[in-house]
Amino acid sequence: MAHHSGVISHDVIEAADGTNLAYLSTAGSGTPILLVHGFGSDAKTNWVISGWIRSLQSSGSDRPILAIDLRGHGHSGRPADPAQYRVRTMVADLQTVLTAAFPAGGMIDAVGYSLGARLITELAATLDANLYPNRGPEFALRRMVLGGSDGTPLLQGIDTGALRLALAGGALPNDSETRRVFRIANAIPSNDPAALVALLQGLSADPDLARRAPDPRQPVLLAVGTKDGYLAAAAHWANRLPGARLIEIPARDHLTAVPSGVFRQAATAFLE
């Protein structure tokens, strides 16, 4: 779809398994920026309403921006089968959308939050190692911003039965991690509880998500709120990575860090 710089375009493409993948994009020149939201969010909430796309554009750069609705979220398809939610499937979705938006391939930067950050580290490893059948143009990740992530396994041990009950209006889950995931899943009224539970079941059974994230070799900006339980482990991870820098987002927790001006400004400067 043709559109002018600064204008957000909405498009849909089909994944390999037939799931619709919705994405937002802006025109521009230079290295594109891929934005990947976290569990229970979507491209509009995470990147438009929170001011991210405005911040990236107001820095004076005219770079194209691409923001996907992950399967199970936003305007993308919402499969009910847990087997359709695997790390490799969701990374392949990113590559499908990248190829649709940038048919020539090339260098990209990426920003991800929480589950989105994990998917970007997996994407970087995939592009390095070519683990997947190469179905199109070559992409390479230049640098990445990983928010709300410490590289450790995600979304493991969630009580999906208790979560499903709570999302249907029943009692809150007893354990704190399931309760935290419930608060995230319940934050956006248009979220589909059945799809999010299927996604959690699919990912929690996925051995790829049950191991540490692959260590990126690219320059990395890690960003974690000072009230986020991931902070200490993220600082430890940053020390292990050759090209990493950690910023602490003042007075923000895992749920409130995304719209922080401190986070947006640091990421924009890092990506320039």
Side-chain angles (χ1 to χ4, degrees), residues 155-261:
L155 302 172
Q156 304 295 302
I158 305 297
D159 183 342
T160 51
L163 179 66
R164 186 188 282 109
L165 274 175
L167 288 170
L172 282 178
N174 287 324
D175 75 282
S176 59
E177 186 61 9
T178 304
R179 205 158 48 237
R180 184 180 75 83
V181 167
F182 164 75
R183 284 203 304 273
I184 295 170
N186 210 37
I188 300 177
S190 60
N191 276 346
D192 178 340
L196 293 181
V197 169
L199 179 144
L200 284 168
Q201 288 172 323
L203 290 181
S204 63
D206 187 344
D208 283 332
L209 206 68
R211 56 166 167 75
R212 278 199 65 85
D215 282 347
R217 297 187 303 172
Q218 296 85 347
V220 176
L221 178 69
L222 287 172
V224 182
T226 56
K227 293 182 173 181
D228 190 332
Y230 289 123
L231 180 59
H236 182 68
W237 194 30
N239 288 335
R240 295 180 27 182
L241 298 177
R245 187 160 69 81
L246 172 72
I247 63 151
E248 299 184 9
I249 307 164
R252 299 293 176 107
D253 63 16
H254 198 77
L255 275 175
T256 58
V258 169
S260 159

Side-chain angles (χ1 to χ4, degrees), residues 90-133:
M90 296 177 82
V91 169
D93 289 348
L94 299 183
Q95 291 181 285
T96 297
V97 168
L98 279 167
T99 302
F102 308 108
M107 197 71 79
I108 59 166
D109 287 342
V111 182
Y113 194 76
S114 196
L115 175 59
R118 179 56 184 261
L119 292 175
I120 284 169
T121 63
E122 302 284 349
L123 175 67
T126 299
L127 295 177
D128 272 354
N130 265 325
L131 300 176
Y132 295 66

Side-chain angles (χ1 to χ4, degrees), residues 10-21:
H10 300 254
D11 294 281
V12 177
I13 190 164
E14 209 171 89
D17 67 356
T19 302
N20 277 344
L21 303 173

